[in-house]
Amino acid sequence: MKILGIETSCDETSTAIYDTERGLLSHCVYSQIKTHAPFGGVVPELASRDHVRKTLPLVKQALIQAGITVPDGVAYTKGPGLIGALMVGASIGRALGYAWNIPALGVHHMEAHLMAAMLDERKPTFPFVTLLVSGGHTLLIEVKGLGDYKILGESLDDAVGEAFDKTAKLLGLPYPGGPHLAKLAEKGRAGYFYFPRPMTDRPGLDFSFSGIKTFAVNCIRENKQDEQTKANISYAFEEAVVDTLLIKVKRALKQTGLKQIVMAGGVSANKRLRETLKEKLEAEVFYPPFEFCTDNGAMVAYLGAMRLQRGEKDHLEIKVHPRWGMEDLYRSRISSQGWHK
Ligand code: KG4
Ligand code: ZN
């Protein structure tokens, strides 16, 4: 079964073909970074306009690269994300399914991130714990199987990626801030600043990152703004975030008794986080290849393939869910009303 995946939930237009027998056949990405950079963040209307321009050419490119003319199914991200951006991918994906007379299915963006590690040759086996860290989410999830998820902990305020991006902006770094801050942190020296590790002094698996961000605001205001000081602040910020995540991941593994941890989402591209978890955990650590950490069509095609194989498909009426919690997937499974909302 060859499935076309379409991702347009935020600032990347991406398509891919996943074959359930041969694996990933093609993957195309167009990043909107240049469009949004002058504004210091994603401008939703510009994102939608760019997706409209780029999606079909990238669909064609993915088909050509895979050497096929018509796939066996189409999967597109239908939430969560920017409403206009989601509507572009969903409309095009659903319409292609109708025109080609093949099943089409809208999938959950975070669930797709969750499954991205399955695109690697060395992949985890169910059950495992996932640390899902992106621009909008920070979640610890017990994954028992496809669609069988239990949220163990989540951020009560800012997501990790959001904290990275906001702190980077305060340091005067360009959008998208996370990778720029991580790069600057490489030049930082240890021992100059010490950021708090929020909510690690009490039991539980929830997170809070707004305190770290506030600490960064004060730290930046009270210190010189030379390059080395900025690098030292970045170093200490990253150290605190990684340390906090490590503490909670250790707890989650202990609580569940599981021995595999899977990282997912844009922040899982962070080298220090990857290395620290690998070094400090007595568990097998998995993370997606770099290109599948941030938003991509390959993870959408993979998840779509798994769900389409089960016979799931959407009606012609196109629906998107800009706000759609992972926990809803879990709840809808329990209430057995199907996972479509
Ligand atoms: O998963 P993603 O591409 O989009 C969302 O669904 O949110 O994640 C984007 C987030 C941004 O906050 C970005 O700054 C962060 O991932 N990010 C990083 C790194 N690469 C991307 N944060 C820290 N270090 C990185 N190397
Ligand atoms: Zn994402």
Side-chain angles (χ1 to χ4, degrees), residues 109-110 113-114 130-141 153-155 158-165 207 209 241-242 244-246 248-249 261-270 273-274 277 286-288 292-295 326:
H109 180 79
M110 302 315 292
H113 271 303
L114 198 85
T130 291
L131 173 69
L132 220 172
V133 275
S134 74
H137 295 80
T138 308
L139 291 161
L140 267 170
I141 307 164
E154 61 191 316
S155 179
D158 290 358
V160 187
E162 199 178 348
F164 262 100
D165 293 342
F207 304 91
F209 287 102
V241 168
V242 169
T244 304
L245 294 173
L246 173 70
K248 297 285 164 134
V249 167
I261 175 81
V262 178
M263 295 162 69
V267 184
S268 65
N270 186 278
L273 178 62
R274 287 176 171 222
L277 293 195
F286 298 86
Y287 35 74
F292 305 135
C293 286
T294 47
D295 292 348
M326 273 297 290

Side-chain angles (χ1 to χ4, degrees), residues 218-274:
N218 295 331
C219 201
I220 292 163
R221 197 186 300 140
E222 288 160 14
N223 287 281
K224 275 192 299 178
Q225 289 300 299
D226 61 293
E227 273 310 291
Q228 191 55 53
T229 307
K230 283 187 186 178
N232 295 346
I233 292 173
S234 301
Y235 181 96
F237 168 85
E238 195 181 54
E239 182 183 54
V241 168
V242 169
D243 215 23
T244 304
L245 294 173
L246 173 70
I247 292 167
K248 297 285 164 134
V249 167
K250 264 190 193 163
R251 277 187 203 168
L253 289 169
K254 195 168 173 205
Q255 184 178 311
T256 56
L258 296 174
K259 298 272 177 254
Q260 294 173 99
I261 175 81
V262 178
M263 295 162 69
V267 184
S268 65
N270 186 278
K271 261 202 244 157
R272 197 149 161 210
L273 178 62
R274 287 176 171 222

Side-chain angles (χ1 to χ4, degrees), residues 117-155:
M118 297 299 191
L119 291 163
D120 208 355
E121 269 176 40
R122 180 183 159 267
K123 36 176 142 316
T125 46
F126 299 121
F128 51 78
V129 173
T130 291
L131 173 69
L132 220 172
V133 275
S134 74
H137 295 80
T138 308
L139 291 161
L140 267 170
I141 307 164
E142 183 176 352
V143 180
K144 294 180 186 160
L146 181 73
D148 194 350
Y149 315 121
K150 185 173 174 193
I151 309 286
L152 302 170
E154 61 191 316
S155 179

Side-chain angles (χ1 to χ4, degrees), residues 29-213:
V29 189
Y30 171 77
S31 167
Q32 300 181 348
I33 285 182
K34 276 195 197 137
T35 308
H36 303 295
F39 304 95
V42 180
V43 183
E45 178 61 24
L46 295 184
S48 310
R49 289 185 206 176
D50 236 15
H51 288 309
V52 169
R53 283 198 304 134
K54 294 291 178 190
T55 306
L56 273 180
L58 286 191
V59 166
K60 187 175 174 188
Q61 198 178 320
L63 291 169
I64 291 171
Q65 275 180 21
I68 60 171
T69 44
V70 178
D72 303 305
V74 187
Y76 47 87
T77 304
K78 72 171 177 186
L82 302 170
I83 187 159
L86 289 167
M87 280 167 69
V88 176
S91 302
I92 291 177
R94 190 64 199 86
L96 284 174
Y98 181 52
W100 281 329
N101 196 24
I102 54 171
L105 180 70
V107 300
H108 194 289
H109 180 79
M110 302 315 292
E111 188 185 22
H113 271 303
L114 198 85
M115 290 295 152
M118 297 299 191
L119 291 163
D120 208 355
E121 269 176 40
R122 180 183 159 267
K123 36 176 142 316
T125 46
F126 299 121
F128 51 78
V129 173
T130 291
L131 173 69
L132 220 172
V133 275
S134 74
H137 295 80
T138 308
L139 291 161
L140 267 170
I141 307 164
E142 183 176 352
V143 180
K144 294 180 186 160
L146 181 73
D148 194 350
Y149 315 121
K150 185 173 174 193
I151 309 286
L152 302 170
E154 61 191 316
S155 179
L156 304 177
D157 40 57
D158 290 358
V160 187
E162 199 178 348
F164 262 100
D165 293 342
K166 286 180 178 168
T167 305
K169 209 169 185 177
L170 290 166
L171 287 164
L173 299 174
Y175 151 89
H180 286 284
L181 190 149
K183 204 149 181 240
L184 186 58
E186 283 173 20
K187 294 186 203 140
R189 295 191 199 123
Y192 282 85
F193 297 98
Y194 188 85
F195 277 63
R197 274 69 168 152
M199 295 181 74
T200 52
D201 57 350
R202 67 196 90 161
L205 294 170
D206 285 334
F207 304 91
S208 164
F209 287 102
S210 66
I212 295 195
K213 186 198 60 202

